[in-house]
Amino acid sequence: MKRNDVLKNLMLQKNLCTADIARLTGIPYTTLKSILDRGVEKSSYSSVCAICAALDITTDQLELLAQQPGKTGKEIRFDPLEIQDFSEEEMRQLRHYINYLRFLRNRE
């Protein structure tokens, strides 16, 4: 699936229109419409990052979603944290970091 189609499907899923994304990102409506219609390949990286941020995904997640053949509309689901992708050492580091964040939160 093309990246711009993934973005359009995510917008549908989140009930956002082009004007909503334009407001959230600060990208002019016509520029955003062009990106969504013609593709993200020739747009700036900062624009793609802003669109992804407005849709609550990363550019890496956009790429992964674009590689899933045949997914359309509400079929697109992406769990941003897939635990099985981490090694035991990475899980240990994540637990340590989570505890650190809790410590910082409690200090405030």
Side-chain angles (χ1 to χ4, degrees):
M1 177 181 286
K2 293 181 181 179
R3 291 173 197 88
N4 59 318
D5 290 333
V6 171
L7 294 173
K8 287 190 276 189
N9 287 334
L10 287 170
M11 288 170 57
L12 283 172
Q13 188 175 332
K14 294 174 182 274
N15 295 318
L16 295 170
C17 65
T18 305
D20 295 328
I21 300 297
R23 278 191 296 278
L24 289 168
T25 62
I27 298 171
Y29 178 89
T30 54
T31 303
L32 184 58
K33 183 101 172 91
S34 176
I35 291 169
L36 293 172
D37 290 343
R38 296 183 185 160
V40 302
E41 288 72 22
K42 294 191 178 191
S43 61
S44 72
Y45 181 70
S46 61
S47 292
V48 176
C49 288
I51 296 167
C52 287
L55 294 170
D56 200 27
I57 63 169
T58 66
T59 55
D60 289 339
Q61 291 169 330
L62 173 61
E63 193 61 34
L64 287 172
L65 289 169
Q67 293 173 13
Q68 293 181 4
K71 297 284 185 181
T72 59
K74 295 190 177 198
E75 295 171 351
I76 292 179
R77 295 283 185 258
F78 193 83
D79 183 4
L81 182 61
E82 299 201 20
I83 301 299
Q84 67 272 13
D85 292 342
F86 297 103
S87 69
E88 287 297 318
E89 175 59 19
E90 290 168 329
M91 289 299 297
R92 187 190 67 72
Q93 291 173 356
L94 284 169
R95 283 191 291 277
H96 180 72
Y97 185 67
I98 290 168
N99 287 332
Y100 174 70
L101 290 175
R102 287 180 180 142
F103 168 76
L104 292 177
R105 183 185 334 145
N106 292 331
R107 279 187 23 193
E108 295 174 354

